[in-house]
Amino acid sequence: MPEYYTPALAYIAAAILAPFVPKGFLRGLYLMLVPIAGILIFWGLTPGTYNAFNVMGMQIGLMRVDALSQIFGLAFSAAAILAALYAWHLRDTVQQVATLLYAGSAIGAVFAADLITLFVFWEGTAIASVFLIWARRTEGSFAAGMRYLIIQIGSGVILIAGIVLYYRETGTISFTAMELGSPATWAILTAIGIKCAFPFLHNWMHDAYPSATVTGTVVLSIFTTKLAVYALLRGFPGTELLIYVGVAMALFPIAFALLENDLRRVLTYSLNSQLGFMVVGAGIGTPLAINGAAAHAVASIFYQGLLFMSIGAVFFRTGTARATALGGLYRTMPLTMSFCLIGAASISALPFTSGFVSKSLILSASGYEEMFYVWLALLVASTGAILHTGLRLPYLAFFGSDSSLRPKEAPAGMLLAMAFTSALCVAIGVFPGVLYGLLPNDVKYEPYTFSHIIVQLQLVAFVALAFTRAVKIGFLPKVERVTIVDFDWTYRRLLPAILRNLRSGIGTLWGNASYNINTRLNHLVAAVFHLHGPHGPFARTWPTGSMVMVVALLLGMTLVLTYL
């Protein structure tokens, strides 16, 4: 293998050449072949670090191949192929080039053996992905993209600061498991937490993803947050704090998702909740939990991507993703509806879907470690996922009140991408051994036990029955256009208001102080002018006798002081 080579370079080279490939069939095929070329670079390599070299005493490793990096690299590559197929109709060179650079940066970060390489690709994902938001070319998307870019670049600044401190403390930049406790590791964890959408650091996702283009939202849902999950599994496995952070992540989005009107934003809250399961798995840190977090990340890439694809297709055909404007679309978009239901079944963890075989790993890991309250919290979060995404979302989009909209079915490329993604969601659920065989730890686990199946079926049936009854009696929160106040209100509304008041207060104080100072200076100048001005006493012409008298007095005082 050539020196300095990594799968990311295949994407970067392809992005440079993409504008010269004719638009249409050839470019669509080209974009689908690039991830396959990336897979061929790393698949089949024996575990180890490749393309390592020394820079200023620091050991750089562009490609570390092991089970953890391979499963994320494979999942990212497969998702990139599906995203390219979904965007087959697209003729926007900006989005196509940005997607290649974004996917390549994410895959490059996954294979990074050192923190410097991680940082370079970490920032690459931030810079490339913002163009998928700006490509919508609206004033709102530009503002959302700027906020997204500031936060993502901020994450990179914190990361590089942590890396510098870590190198100073340890003398190494190797990207391995770290123990939380020093300023360096806290900074690195904070940077990862921003990208992973930890509580209070999460609003960039709900702001930016729904503001992106139809295909851009699908691509954004794949890489950024899953890269952060990978970084947690690699850098902070078994960190107890992550258990509590993950539980909070899994629970708090439920209420927002149930109240939100924009269905693409509903899916971002749903994604945030699913990330909580992965963070809990990383925090527990046992081999089973690490496997569960990795498996759930892979499963989420596909079923969450499928849901974003289906709602994106609705948005593409109708021009809106607001629940208040949708309903009854099953009549003219039956295939999109069917694929959405498969994604809904997967996130609901129905047996024989990908969500069932991945989520049960994390729940079982918490149970085996006797973390009853963690297990219970994740069960509540699972119930919430069934309610707000498994049932409410497809009901509002495709059933519910008839919106009188009769759009055409989604384009062929979108339908094929959704079909293949649906097949993956089912295949992973039916043949979990294939996924389990790719996981980083050799742990035997059987998801299809009688108790697992019965408990999950009971949970889904109970929530479905409750949802049906709530719809019938009108107990569900009313679907209406509302502004939901999330934590971003603190820096988008509260903080600017505080700064405006501070500026006003400081301006008032400065004005009063300036007035007082000017008044006193004016009085001083007037007094000096009164004494030394043209008509002041010190400016008059004194008689010679008076001057002699003054001089004599001064000489007399000098003699007295001299001889005392």
Side-chain angles (χ1 to χ4, degrees), residues 200-352:
F200 307 120
L201 305 173
H202 66 281
N203 294 107
W204 61 266
M205 184 166 67
H206 313 300
D207 181 28
Y209 285 17
S211 300
T213 63
V214 170
T215 55
T217 301
V218 174
V219 177
L220 285 167
S221 73
I222 295 169
F223 296 111
T224 297
T225 52
K226 306 310 186 305
L227 170 59
V229 169
Y230 166 82
L232 288 177
L233 294 175
R234 177 72 71 186
F236 295 95
T239 301
E240 186 179 359
L241 175 65
L242 295 178
I243 299 174
Y244 310 111
V245 172
V247 167
M249 288 176 68
L251 291 175
F252 87 84
I254 295 174
F256 293 102
L258 286 172
L259 295 172
E260 181 58 60
N261 182 39
D262 187 329
L263 297 183
R264 294 207 295 175
R265 188 167 279 112
V266 170
L267 288 175
T268 62
Y269 281 114
S270 173
L271 172 58
N272 209 165
S273 179
Q274 295 303 300
L275 290 168
F277 284 83
M278 305 168 210
V279 174
V280 169
I284 295 173
T286 62
L288 181 62
I290 297 296
N291 278 4
H296 201 52
V298 172
S300 177
I301 285 172
F302 296 117
Y303 69 64
Q304 206 83 46
L306 178 58
L307 289 165
F308 274 107
M309 286 179 185
S310 60
I311 298 302
V314 169
F315 183 72
F316 181 78
R317 285 305 193 196
T318 65
T320 183
R322 296 189 176 277
T324 48
L326 298 174
L329 299 185
Y330 73 92
R331 294 179 175 87
T332 56
M333 302 184 74
L335 294 177
T336 302
M337 178 268 295
S338 300
F339 298 138
C340 182
L341 290 178
I342 293 174
S346 296
I347 199 171
S348 300
L350 273 174
F352 305 109

Side-chain angles (χ1 to χ4, degrees), residues 3-320:
E3 194 174 3
Y4 312 139
Y5 205 64
T6 167
L9 292 183
Y11 288 84
I12 295 170
I16 295 171
L17 296 175
F20 304 102
V21 179
K23 293 181 180 180
F25 177 83
L26 286 179
R27 187 177 291 183
L29 183 62
Y30 174 80
L31 295 173
M32 292 183 64
L33 291 176
V34 172
I36 296 175
I39 294 173
L40 294 177
I41 293 173
F42 68 83
W43 196 253
L45 292 177
T46 56
T49 300
Y50 297 81
N51 305 323
F53 54 95
N54 191 281
V55 176
M56 295 185 294
M58 296 181 293
Q59 190 68 17
I60 304 295
L62 293 181
M63 193 164 73
R64 171 179 45 201
V65 176
D66 60 13
L68 185 60
S69 61
Q70 279 195 323
I71 190 171
F72 274 88
L74 182 62
F76 282 172
S77 301
I81 296 171
L82 293 169
L85 180 58
Y86 184 78
W88 187 273
H89 65 282
L90 196 64
R91 299 295 181 266
D92 187 348
T93 301
V94 171
Q95 290 191 66
Q96 292 167 336
V97 171
T99 298
L100 286 174
L101 292 174
Y102 183 27
S105 296
I107 293 172
V110 161
F111 284 100
D114 65 276
L115 292 169
I116 295 297
T117 304
L118 174 70
F119 166 75
V120 171
F121 289 120
W122 192 270
E123 291 295 80
T125 61
I127 296 169
S129 59
V130 73
F131 289 95
L132 298 174
I133 304 169
W134 286 340
R136 194 172 173 184
R137 297 175 175 86
T138 64
E139 185 178 348
S141 65
F142 177 77
M146 285 301 299
R147 290 190 293 269
Y148 171 86
L149 185 62
I150 290 169
I151 291 172
Q152 294 299 316
I153 294 296
S155 169
V157 171
I158 296 171
L159 178 62
I160 193 62
I163 292 171
V164 170
L165 292 174
Y166 187 74
Y167 181 69
R168 184 177 178 182
E169 290 175 4
T170 65
T172 180
I173 56 169
S174 179
F175 186 24
T176 55
M178 294 170 270
E179 186 173 347
L180 188 63
S182 67
T185 52
W186 273 106
I188 293 171
L189 181 62
T190 301
I192 297 172
I194 293 173
K195 231 175 182 65
C196 197
F198 280 7
F200 307 120
L201 305 173
H202 66 281
N203 294 107
W204 61 266
M205 184 166 67
H206 313 300
D207 181 28
Y209 285 17
S211 300
T213 63
V214 170
T215 55
T217 301
V218 174
V219 177
L220 285 167
S221 73
I222 295 169
F223 296 111
T224 297
T225 52
K226 306 310 186 305
L227 170 59
V229 169
Y230 166 82
L232 288 177
L233 294 175
R234 177 72 71 186
F236 295 95
T239 301
E240 186 179 359
L241 175 65
L242 295 178
I243 299 174
Y244 310 111
V245 172
V247 167
M249 288 176 68
L251 291 175
F252 87 84
I254 295 174
F256 293 102
L258 286 172
L259 295 172
E260 181 58 60
N261 182 39
D262 187 329
L263 297 183
R264 294 207 295 175
R265 188 167 279 112
V266 170
L267 288 175
T268 62
Y269 281 114
S270 173
L271 172 58
N272 209 165
S273 179
Q274 295 303 300
L275 290 168
F277 284 83
M278 305 168 210
V279 174
V280 169
I284 295 173
T286 62
L288 181 62
I290 297 296
N291 278 4
H296 201 52
V298 172
S300 177
I301 285 172
F302 296 117
Y303 69 64
Q304 206 83 46
L306 178 58
L307 289 165
F308 274 107
M309 286 179 185
S310 60
I311 298 302
V314 169
F315 183 72
F316 181 78
R317 285 305 193 196
T318 65
T320 183

